[in-house]
Amino acid sequence: MNKFSERLKDLRTEKGLSRLQLAEKLNVSARLVAYWENGERECDFDMLVAIADLFSTSVDYLIGHTDY
């Protein structure tokens, strides 16, 4: 599992969101969120920024370049 996958899942569970709830907030399918969390697919840059904004974190943190 890559850093993005781990951190996305951690952030989602910390916020108490199901995959479906996160998917609805991002206007994607729950299956796509599962693919991201399992490291089977990567999201595009715009979605990466949207996820960072949603969780009030940085893209650098999401992709593993920083630990904060």
Side-chain angles (χ1 to χ4, degrees), residues 1-11 36-39 41-42 48 51 57-68:
M1 189 179 291
N2 61 44
K3 283 289 186 185
F4 172 72
S5 298
E6 292 173 17
R7 292 190 172 170
L8 177 61
K9 185 173 183 178
D10 289 345
L11 288 167
W36 294 337
E37 289 185 355
N38 293 326
R41 292 196 184 163
E42 296 178 355
L48 191 59
I51 293 167
T57 192
S58 68
V59 169
D60 282 344
Y61 174 77
L62 284 173
I63 63 174
H65 283 175
T66 63
D67 288 331
Y68 51 87

Side-chain angles (χ1 to χ4, degrees), residues 35-50:
Y35 284 143
W36 294 337
E37 289 185 355
N38 293 326
E40 297 174 25
R41 292 196 184 163
E42 296 178 355
C43 64
D44 64 22
F45 180 75
D46 291 334
M47 185 57 67
L48 191 59
V49 171

Side-chain angles (χ1 to χ4, degrees), residues 6-55:
E6 292 173 17
R7 292 190 172 170
L8 177 61
K9 185 173 183 178
D10 289 345
L11 288 167
R12 178 182 60 76
T13 56
E14 284 173 15
K15 293 285 186 180
L17 297 172
S18 68
R19 284 180 175 165
L20 179 59
Q21 290 169 319
L22 177 57
E24 288 172 349
K25 290 180 180 292
L26 297 171
N27 294 318
V28 297
S29 70
R31 187 72 197 133
L32 184 54
V33 172
Y35 284 143
W36 294 337
E37 289 185 355
N38 293 326
E40 297 174 25
R41 292 196 184 163
E42 296 178 355
C43 64
D44 64 22
F45 180 75
D46 291 334
M47 185 57 67
L48 191 59
V49 171
I51 293 167
D53 288 346
L54 179 68
F55 290 113

